[in-house]
């Protein structure tokens, strides 16, 4: 694993955007795996700036998002489809039909997951996967205890995630209790993985995930087994990374 230390959220976002830009420039028809949450917003903002300057072209890019709340429509401002449209897709020249997010309105979980797996395999897999890190070590919505061999599946959100994500909703009761998420098996099949982390509250889980035992109790720990992971963080989030002797 490669670790890139940066001084601030802004610098972390620029580095991540640079890595994504390199992928898009080297392979204009690449497949990008994308994430939601607060962490990647700065990365998307930077990519939009470079697109506006004429340095990036997304016209041939395909995107596959990690997850979506079950039951939320694309118009719901808390859905991940809405997040992606407003923070990224609406501001670049990507073709809307080449952007994929699980269908939160599909009530049949088996169908929703099967359809999403088919989209991923039809695209030929993911070239670069961007990941944030949940406070309990989740990636996408693969919560602690998730089997490493799963593809897209429907999960019950843990109490800790519902609490963490309730900051975006008017009340805890409005946070959906289930979500569709790309599985760890699919994430691990991405050719490259870029994990972004910022803020002191992530320091302990960064240490546990990347320097602790590999265990389903800390889903992100599986990333230690991938051969092309870049961890990009600000100094607070990387403050507990053990020093190399
Ligand atoms: C959410 C998302 C994850 C994200 C994580 C961290 O629950 N499903 O994909 O990485 O939480 O979010 P944040 O970046 O806001 O800390």
């Amino acid at each position: 694993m490669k670790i890139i230390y940066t001084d601030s959220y802004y610098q972390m976002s620029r580095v991540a955007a640079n890595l994504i830009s390199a992928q898009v420039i080297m392979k204009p028809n690449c497949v990008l795996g994308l994430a939601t949450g607060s962490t990647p917003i700065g990365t998307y903002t930077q990519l939009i700036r470079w697109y506006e300057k004429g340095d990036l072209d997304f016209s041939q890019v395909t995107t596959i998002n990690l997850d979506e709340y079950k039951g939320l429509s694309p118009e719901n401002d808390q859905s991940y489809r809405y997040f992606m449209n407003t923070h990224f897709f609406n501001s670049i020249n990507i073709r809307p039909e080449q952007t994929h997010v699980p269908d939160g309105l599909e009530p049949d979980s088996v169908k929703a997951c099967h359809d999403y797996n088919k989209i991923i395999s039809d695209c030929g897999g993911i070239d670069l996967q961007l990941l944030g890190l949940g406070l309990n070590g989740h990636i996408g919505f693969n919560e602690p205890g998730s089997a490493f061999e799963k593809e897209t599946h429907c999960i019950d959100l843990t109490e800790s995630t519902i609490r963490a994500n309730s900051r975006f909703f008017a009340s805890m009761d409005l946070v959906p209790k289930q979500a569709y998420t790309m599985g760890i098996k699919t994430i691990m099949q991405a050719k490259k993985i870029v994990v972004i982390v910022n803020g002191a509250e992530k320091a302990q889980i960064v240490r546990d995930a990347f320097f602790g035992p590999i265990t389903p109790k800390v889903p992100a720990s599986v990333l230690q087994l991938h051969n092309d992971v870049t961890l990009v963080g600000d100094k607070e989030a990387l403050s507990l990374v053990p020093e190399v002797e």
Side-chain angles (χ1 to χ4, degrees), residues 144-162:
S146 301
F148 286 163
E149 67 275 13
K150 283 203 175 163
E151 298 188 313
T152 309
H153 56 288
C154 180
I155 50 96
D156 294 329
L157 298 175
T158 62
E159 198 55 39
S160 126
T161 300
I162 292 172

Side-chain angles (χ1 to χ4, degrees), residues 1 204-215 218 220-225 240-242:
M1 178 179 60
Q204 186 60 50
I205 193 63
V206 166
R207 185 188 173 98
D208 294 346
F210 296 100
F211 302 93
I214 298 168
T215 163
V218 183
S221 65
V222 73
L223 299 173
Q224 294 179 43
L225 300 173
L240 298 180
V241 167

Side-chain angles (χ1 to χ4, degrees), residues 36-40 66-67 80 132-134 138 140-141 161 165 167 202:
T36 51
S38 325
T39 317
L66 283 166
D67 44 17
Y80 286 167
L133 184 63
H138 73 231
F141 267 138
T161 300
N165 290 359
R167 67 190 193 276
K202 295 277 169 79

Side-chain angles (χ1 to χ4, degrees), residues 2 20 34 41 60 85 94-95 125 130 132 139 142 144 156 193 198 213 241 245:
K2 193 170 161 61
I20 294 169
L34 298 179
I41 292 176
Q60 296 178 61
N85 287 347
I94 197 158
R95 290 167 55 196
L130 179 67
I139 45 177
N142 293 281
D156 294 329
I193 297 182
N198 75 287
V241 167
E245 273 123 56

